[in-house]
Amino acid sequence: IGRVDTLEWPQATTMDPPVRPPHVSSSEQMLIDERKEEDDRAMDVEANEKEEDPPGCPPEEDFGKTERLASTAPATYKDIFQSFALLGWTAFGGPGAHIGLFYRLFVETKNWITSSVFAELVALGQCMPGPTSTQMSFAIGVAKKGVKGGLLSGMLFQYPGLVMMAGLGLLAAARALDDPVPVVDGFADGLAAGGVALIWGAVKNLTEKMCTEWEGKVLCVVTAAIAFYYQTAWLFPTLIVCGGLFTIVTRWKKNVDVNGSDAHIDRFGLGMIGGGGLIALWVTLLVLSIVLTNEISYDSSPPLHWFATFYETGSVIFGGGQVVLPLLLDRVVQTERVCLQSGESPPPRSTEIEGTNCFDVEKSDTWVTSKQFYAGLALAQAMPGPLFNFSAYLGSVMAYRAGDNFLVGVATCWLGLFGPGVMLIFGILPFWGKFRKFQLYRRALPGLNASAVGLILASAFTMTFRVRSESSFPDATICIGILAYAVANLLQPRQHLLKILLAPIAVICSGVLGIVAWATGMN
């Protein structure tokens, strides 16, 4: 057969049958034809792999790129367990840093979801009350293995911080932690710098992938500027919706392909009936909590009032942990206003009302003292996982002060604050799986994604300035962040395990450098 490959075949017209050389037998000719067919198929496959969209063809789903032909890696329950068990103990730095960790691990390293789907989930979380990073942790598990996968991934991400904050709450209630611990403050400042570095890495990668055309760039920058200037929680979903409306208008006449829009999403969790039931349950519990607390006194049922307070707070909060803190402070630290005569000394544990001779004084039966609140806040920022785990600390303190079992306080407060956001993400995902096929949604999607990236960009600037201003070593904090960014984003290790561990290592090392900066008195 090899001899025949070099023969010159007679020229044949398009109407003539194939010409076979006289010295080639029929069996040899069959082998030659089979080999030629295999070569033709291989060339067709190679051509398809290299084929690009013709000039003028509009992008389908996101700016400048289409992921229709991309494939994502499968994930087993074991994979979910291993990934989120690690994250639960190493996800320092707050919600923005968590989103950066998720992007690096599940989009860039493991390829569980695409960057387009990741941005969709971020936008979805920003449009709902509750902690966005927590909702993302559940949604990623749901996308790979359904409801069970979502419960596994979400709980593994929450429980380390939950357990540690509940235990620290007992210590604080026993007045062992009434004042912040300086070494903990140094560690927390270093962790915050590392967390901000991860946010900048996520911003860099997301803007490169999701904002490649002029609409995306404009929306990202405008959204970031507005969100940074006003920093109002209700503004976040408003900006995302406006971004979607903008691209609906600019892409109204473009044909958007919705075929295969379920690509890269393995599952959506519950069906639409189950999702609707969860949303109805969320509304019912919200109404019942308001009605029952008005009918039943605090002394008759303290846990009911604790749960109602945290559940109502979790149901109206957009923007994550940093937004919820002022509301919780007003609800759990009870004060009364005292006005003094001229010359009288202000009472202890009081806050002066500016422009008056009146003070807000903590009540003796307050649920939590302000010192306990701020000490716990410093510890919560040094713990892995969501800042909402601060609710477990507060529940433990409140139950101890009320003479109840601390587990009752932990359960009521933690479930109350996390419950609304978790129920909503499980309830909305099945509907999202349906409406993401609609032409209107597909036209809005680039704007939704770009605005979501803009919110992450704004949070990166906000957290950078906040971390520097609140640190006891501001200049050293920026230096720690630069080093963490270099380790997490510029190094390219070849080992797969090292790629996975690189971001957590950068954050933990930032905390250690924070202790060093505090101990040496750096600026």
Side-chain angles (χ1 to χ4, degrees):
I1 300 301
R3 174 180 59 82
V4 180
D5 285 344
T6 61
L7 294 177
E8 294 184 4
W9 292 77
Q11 298 294 323
T13 64
T14 56
M15 301 298 294
D16 293 336
V19 179
R20 174 169 58 88
H23 59 275
V24 178
S25 65
S26 299
S27 59
E28 289 177 335
Q29 180 64 44
M30 292 177 62
L31 292 174
I32 293 171
D33 292 340
E34 291 176 359
R35 179 172 178 177
K36 187 173 185 299
E37 290 177 359
E38 292 176 358
D39 291 342
D40 290 341
R41 284 195 296 269
M43 292 175 65
D44 290 340
V45 170
E46 183 177 0
N48 289 334
E49 291 177 348
K50 295 181 179 180
E51 185 178 3
E52 297 179 354
D53 290 337
C57 179
E60 295 180 12
E61 293 186 11
D62 41 313
F63 290 108
K65 297 196 176 186
T66 174
E67 296 176 337
R68 184 167 48 126
L69 299 177
S71 60
T72 55
T76 63
Y77 288 111
K78 181 180 178 182
D79 295 331
I80 293 174
F81 178 86
Q82 290 175 340
S83 298
F84 281 92
L86 173 65
L87 279 175
W89 291 100
T90 58
F92 297 96
H98 299 162
I99 291 175
L101 275 172
F102 292 161
Y103 185 87
R104 184 177 182 85
L105 182 60
F106 300 117
V107 177
E108 294 184 338
T109 304
K110 293 182 175 291
N111 192 33
W112 282 8
I113 56 176
T114 64
S115 58
S116 176
V117 171
F118 185 88
E120 284 187 67
L121 292 175
V122 172
L124 197 65
Q126 294 282 4
C127 289
M128 292 187 294
T132 301
S133 63
T134 297
Q135 291 167 331
M136 289 282 292
S137 70
F138 283 96
I140 292 171
V142 169
K144 303 310 293 183
K145 298 299 288 185
V147 175
K148 293 180 181 178
L151 292 174
L152 178 63
S153 61
M155 291 308 301
L156 285 172
F157 183 63
Q158 322 300 322
Y159 90 91
L162 164 65
V163 172
M164 288 187 283
M165 290 306 296
L168 291 171
L170 279 178
L171 293 177
R175 301 185 181 278
L177 290 176
D178 268 1
D179 295 309
V181 182
V183 67
V184 173
D185 287 343
F187 184 65
D189 290 339
L191 291 178
V196 171
L198 294 184
I199 300 175
W200 282 109
V203 168
K204 172 182 176 294
N205 294 324
L206 283 170
T207 50
E208 288 176 352
K209 292 178 181 293
M210 308 307 299
C211 305
T212 58
E213 292 194 357
W214 72 268
E215 300 108 316
K217 294 174 182 178
V218 169
L219 282 174
C220 180
V221 172
V222 171
T223 299
I226 295 174
F228 179 84
Y229 186 81
Y230 287 102
Q231 298 188 11
T232 304
W234 60 265
L235 193 63
F236 297 165
T238 304
L239 289 171
I240 290 178
V241 172
C242 290
L245 293 175
F246 179 78
T247 52
I248 286 176
V249 174
T250 59
R251 293 173 169 245
W252 185 254
K253 294 183 179 181
K254 291 185 179 181
N255 182 31
V256 181
D257 184 11
V258 297
N259 294 328
S261 60
D262 280 342
H264 328 303
I265 299 290
D266 297 332
R267 302 181 187 183
F268 295 96
L270 300 170
M272 295 184 70
I273 296 177
L278 267 183
I279 297 173
L281 177 62
W282 164 63
V283 175
T284 302
L285 288 176
L286 181 60
V287 173
L288 284 176
S289 66
I290 297 173
V291 171
L292 291 178
T293 50
N294 288 328
E295 296 294 330
I296 301 174
S297 66
Y298 175 78
D299 294 334
S300 300
S301 180
L304 171 63
H305 284 258
W306 301 338
F307 177 82
T309 295
F310 283 81
Y311 190 84
E312 293 166 18
T313 303
S315 296
V316 299
I317 284 300
F318 293 89
Q322 301 296 339
V323 180
V324 79
L325 295 176
L327 285 178
L328 285 180
L329 178 62
D330 292 337
R331 300 292 294 272
V332 302
V333 179
Q334 284 81 31
T335 60
E336 57 185 354
R337 183 156 298 182
V338 176
C339 295
L340 304 179
Q341 300 296 327
S342 178
E344 290 184 318
S345 301
R349 295 191 300 179
S350 61
T351 303
E352 184 178 2
I353 307 301
E354 188 176 355
T356 68
N357 199 29
C358 298
F359 296 82
D360 283 336
V361 184
E362 290 181 14
K363 294 181 179 179
S364 58
D365 58 349
T366 180
W367 293 359
V368 177
T369 68
S370 59
K371 282 190 175 183
Q372 289 170 336
F373 185 93
Y374 287 114
L377 177 59
L379 293 171
Q381 292 176 330
M383 293 294 114
L387 188 57
F388 271 39
N389 279 328
F390 184 39
S391 59
Y393 168 92
L394 294 175
S396 186
V397 173
M398 289 154 52
Y400 186 94
R401 289 174 62 87
D404 286 335
N405 189 314
F406 84 100
L407 293 177
V408 174
V410 170
T412 54
C413 297
W414 190 83
L415 291 175
L417 194 60
F418 275 99
V422 174
M423 283 193 289
L424 284 173
I425 191 64
F426 276 97
I428 292 293
L429 279 177
F431 294 94
W432 174 64
K434 294 294 181 182
F435 67 67
R436 71 191 300 263
K437 299 178 183 179
F438 299 160
Q439 282 268 355
L440 192 65
Y441 176 79
R442 305 308 293 180
R443 289 191 177 95
L445 181 59
L448 299 175
N449 290 346
S451 296
V453 175
L455 291 179
I456 299 174
L457 175 60
S459 71
F461 277 106
T462 300
M463 290 190 64
T464 299
F465 295 131
R466 179 183 297 166
V467 165
R468 187 184 187 282
S469 64
E470 294 180 356
S471 174
S472 55
F473 38 87
D475 292 340
T477 296
I478 297 298
C479 296
I480 292 172
I482 293 172
L483 293 175
Y485 179 88
V487 171
N489 297 281
L490 302 183
L491 296 182
Q492 299 294 332
R494 296 183 178 180
Q495 295 81 2
H496 180 70
L497 180 60
L498 187 55
K499 284 184 179 180
I500 296 175
L501 295 176
L502 201 57
I505 289 173
V507 175
I508 294 174
C509 289
S510 297
V512 174
L513 290 176
I515 296 176
V516 173
W518 163 79
T520 56
M522 297 180 68
N523 179 23

